[in-house]
Amino acid sequence: MYILGIESSCDETSASVSHNRKILSNTTINQVIHSEYGGVVPEIASREHLDLISKVVELALVESGIKIDNIDAIAVTNGPGLKGALMVGVNFAKGLSISKNIPLVGVNHMEGHLFSNFIDLKEIKYPFLCLLVSGGHTQIWNVKEYKNYELLSNTIDDAAGEAFDKGARLLGMSYPGGPEIEKLAKGGDLTKFKFPIAKIKDSVNNFSFSGLKTSLYYLIKNNNQEMINKNKKHIAASYQETILETLLQKMTFIADQTKVYDIFVSGGVIANMRFRDKISELNAKEEYNINCPSMKYCTDNAAMICMAGYEKVINNKFSDITLEVNPNLLMNQ
Ligand code: KG4
Ligand code: ZN
């Protein structure tokens, strides 16, 4: 089964070709233009996707060595994400589907992140927990079987990736903030500055990151520039450590509660090496079995869309030409 995957939900234009759960190619162009605006500008993202999409799809096909006529299904992200950006991918996929008579499958971007863990694996063992940590989402799901997902935890305000992005902006760094903070934090003192780990009284399972961002704001506001500049790497290290500790504490708390100890972590934030190291340390204690996708499949990519598309195809869940984009598409829809 050959699948062409297309992803355009935010600021990466990506296409991939897969054979069953094996990825044959994955071409991603990151729209660096947004870094000068301090965040993704939706109109610019749509325009960039329009300029790039046919070239990216062609490159992915060439790299895979598979001709479009041999593709069995086109999987395309139809939500969640930026409406205009999603429309570029979905309309392109529809055009290709009609002109080449290839079945179409609409894929949930977050389900893509979830299935990015299974690239190159022969089988998927249920149940497991999935911690999804991206720029817009911080959630923990109990994945009982295919399409039987229970949301156990969600953020009540900012997502973890957003906490990195907003923190980086406060520290005068560009978008995306995660890799910037990670770079700056190298060699910094993890405990020099105390940031709060939010505890939400009436919903202990949920996350909150807005208080953390506010405390960074006041740290910068209440101290002189010289002190901040001198301590920037320690501030970044302590701030990063607080985000990662918050994620891991909640995740293990929920694993103990549900007694599901097989855990997958996916989404852009798992590209963070300190996060991956902390997970390795936790795994060494042998209480939890925590897995993450390989680095190249952490941030947005179409390989993960091929994977989630493949699950849909083998479960006979095709879309038709009326497929619509849904910026707020939920995982269990
Ligand atoms: O999954 P993703 O590529 O896009 C969304 O679906 O949102 O995640 C992007 C998020 C951004 O907030 C970015 O700052 C964060 O992932 N991120 C990181 C790192 N690389 C990307 N956060 C921490 N450390 C990183 N190395
Ligand atoms: Zn994503």
Side-chain angles (χ1 to χ4, degrees):
M1 163 88 51
Y2 289 105
I3 296 189
L4 169 66
I6 297 175
E7 156 65 34
S8 70
S9 66
C10 193
D11 58 340
E12 266 98 14
T13 317
S14 185
S16 170
V17 176
S18 64
H19 180 245
N20 300 339
R21 292 202 182 96
K22 196 170 157 39
I23 298 302
L24 305 180
S25 67
N26 181 40
T27 307
T28 304
I29 297 186
N30 178 252
Q31 303 175 1
V32 283
I33 185 168
H34 301 284
S35 67
E36 62 191 79
Y37 297 96
V40 179
V41 183
E43 297 76 29
I44 296 180
S46 310
R47 236 181 296 136
E48 290 277 299
H49 285 307
L50 263 178
D51 282 351
L52 295 168
I53 193 131
S54 59
K55 186 168 94 189
V56 166
V57 168
E58 201 184 314
L59 283 173
L61 284 165
V62 169
E63 198 194 318
S64 70
I66 305 301
K67 298 258 180 314
I68 186 73
D69 294 326
N70 295 111
I71 295 289
D72 298 298
I74 300 171
V76 62
T77 308
N78 71 315
L82 302 169
K83 191 171 183 187
L86 288 163
M87 280 172 73
V88 176
V90 167
N91 287 333
F92 188 88
K94 281 184 182 177
L96 211 51
S97 165
I98 294 172
S99 65
K100 296 287 177 183
N101 200 20
I102 303 170
L104 187 67
V105 194
V107 168
N108 183 304
H109 178 84
M110 298 316 291
E111 210 174 9
H113 277 301
L114 193 159
F115 283 102
S116 66
N117 285 289
F118 304 110
I119 290 173
D120 293 337
L121 291 193
K122 284 226 157 49
E123 60 166 342
I124 301 173
K125 285 200 186 105
Y126 299 95
F128 57 85
L129 296 184
C130 184
L131 168 63
L132 290 174
V133 270
S134 69
H137 291 75
T138 299
Q139 299 177 328
I140 299 175
W141 291 85
N142 187 356
V143 182
K144 296 172 184 177
E145 56 188 13
Y146 183 61
K147 284 290 175 195
N148 183 355
Y149 312 145
E150 184 189 2
L151 182 63
L152 301 176
S153 170
N154 206 349
T155 177
I156 61 162
D157 41 56
D158 294 346
E162 213 174 342
F164 273 104
D165 296 333
K166 289 179 174 172
R169 198 181 314 166
L170 288 171
L171 289 166
M173 293 181 291
S174 60
Y175 176 88
E180 297 290 312
I181 291 201
E182 181 178 5
K183 239 184 283 160
L184 182 63
K186 283 218 173 82
D189 183 342
L190 309 174
T191 55
K192 182 153 185 185
F193 292 89
K194 293 272 168 285
F195 290 106
I197 292 188
K199 290 200 171 56
I200 310 154
K201 253 202 194 136
D202 46 1
S203 58
V204 285
N205 280 2
N206 287 334
F207 294 99
S208 166
F209 290 101
S210 68
L212 169 69
K213 175 195 64 192
T214 308
S215 73
L216 175 61
Y217 170 81
Y218 281 110
L219 176 73
I220 295 169
K221 188 170 183 272
N222 295 338
N223 287 281
N224 63 48
Q225 198 61 41
E226 198 192 333
M227 176 289 205
I228 298 296
N229 286 342
K230 218 172 88 193
N231 285 286
K232 236 180 186 176
K233 78 171 177 183
H234 305 307
I235 297 173
S238 308
Y239 185 81
Q240 169 176 273
E241 199 65 10
T242 309
I243 298 175
L244 304 181
E245 266 305 307
T246 307
L247 293 172
L248 291 178
Q249 282 182 19
K250 195 70 70 189
M251 194 185 78
T252 50
F253 173 74
I254 287 179
D256 293 343
Q257 199 180 68
T258 54
K259 301 200 173 11
V260 178
Y261 302 108
D262 286 323
I263 305 168
F264 292 87
V265 184
S266 35
V269 177
I270 194 62
N272 185 288
M273 280 316 297
R274 174 71 191 150
F275 198 15
R276 297 173 87 92
D277 288 347
K278 282 173 79 71
I279 285 174
S280 301
E281 284 166 23
L282 205 53
N283 275 337
K285 294 183 188 156
E286 295 186 354
E287 276 176 70
Y288 310 98
N289 171 30
I290 311 166
N291 303 276
C292 352
S294 67
M295 282 297 271
K296 60 180 177 227
Y297 302 126
C298 292
T299 49
D300 291 350
N301 64 85
M304 69 187 199
I305 304 306
C306 282
M307 294 297 293
Y310 176 69
E311 295 310 311
K312 279 195 124 168
V313 169
I314 61 175
N315 284 282
N316 220 8
K317 291 181 184 298
F318 289 94
S319 308
D320 63 27
I321 218 62
T322 62
L323 176 70
E324 285 185 1
V325 304
N326 180 351
N328 304 310
L329 191 65
L330 301 174
M331 266 264 289
N332 36 9
Q333 266 183 312

